[in-house]
Amino acid sequence: MGTDEIIKLLEGEYGIRKWHTAGDPLSVLIQTVLSQNTSDVNSHRAFNSLVSFFADWEAVAFAPVENIADVIKSGGLSQVKAGRIKRILNDILEEKGRVNLEFLALMNMVDAKEYLMHFPGVGHKTASCVLLFSLGRPCLPVDTHVFRVARRLGLLGFQTTVVEAHDLLQEQVPPSRIYQFHMHMVEHGRKVCRARGPLCERCVLLDVCTRR
């Protein structure tokens, strides 16, 4: 079974997801950095604290790392993330003369992704999240849920790394279906195809699952 059929089955289960922007590229980048190795609740709390405390991203760029870390401590790993955020903002300011990433909208997807990945702590998943959720580009983020479900479905080999998975899945999913595929695979991974105790008896993909 190909990815089109998988998407159709998941759409039948969870409904059709329509894309809408999650914010400007820089805000989505910072949100995604804060989401690394923590829960959505904690990362959202940290991001809201950050934008409430500082006037704008330039103010964050000039703030001491210790101040940033204190503001985002609810998100976990605050010292590491504060250092990454400050470095990213300072690099953008030095390279572009102002602290925003709106210029990414004028770049092709490959170049935009490469630009984002030159920042510290920004890998394939984080860069893809910015392009997909902020700019609506068909760039597939492979998080832990997407990776796990794709391996169980046989879309990826069990020796495939997460880095390799981005290119392999990107090639298998039609660009127009990237958003649907990502959103449904994440939801399915959270609700049914869990890392521990997967609810196989409830899975609409059971007939094509290689894990059985």
Side-chain angles (χ1 to χ4, degrees), residues 14-81:
Y14 303 115
I16 296 175
R17 302 295 295 269
K18 294 184 178 180
W19 179 87
H20 63 276
T21 182
D24 67 273
L26 183 53
S27 294
V28 174
L29 174 59
I30 301 303
Q31 289 181 62
T32 309
V33 170
L34 288 170
S35 74
Q36 295 168 352
N37 302 112
T38 192
S39 68
D40 288 345
V41 171
N42 287 341
S43 65
H44 290 158
R45 186 181 295 123
F47 180 78
N48 290 335
S49 295
L50 194 63
V51 297
S52 297
F53 188 87
F54 293 100
D56 52 32
W57 293 124
E58 187 168 316
V60 181
F62 287 112
V65 171
E66 293 74 16
N67 287 12
I68 301 171
D70 187 57
V71 172
I72 65 171
K73 61 185 177 182
S74 62
L77 298 174
S78 58
Q79 288 290 338
V80 173
K81 293 176 182 178

Side-chain angles (χ1 to χ4, degrees), residues 57-124:
W57 293 124
E58 187 168 316
V60 181
F62 287 112
V65 171
E66 293 74 16
N67 287 12
I68 301 171
D70 187 57
V71 172
I72 65 171
K73 61 185 177 182
S74 62
L77 298 174
S78 58
Q79 288 290 338
V80 173
K81 293 176 182 178
R84 288 176 179 172
I85 289 169
K86 183 173 174 64
R87 173 72 181 278
I88 287 169
L89 296 174
N90 286 335
D91 284 354
I92 296 170
L93 183 60
E94 182 178 344
E95 294 169 5
K96 304 298 179 180
R98 55 181 181 170
V99 188
N100 75 61
L101 290 175
E102 299 296 340
F103 61 88
L104 291 178
L106 303 176
M107 299 173 68
N108 67 56
M109 191 171 77
V110 173
D111 290 344
K113 186 175 182 180
E114 287 183 358
Y115 178 79
L116 287 166
M117 288 178 62
H118 93 283
F119 294 125
V122 178
H124 287 276

Side-chain angles (χ1 to χ4, degrees), residues 46 61 64 93 160 187 209 211:
L93 183 60
T160 302
E187 187 167 8
C209 182
R211 186 180 186 275

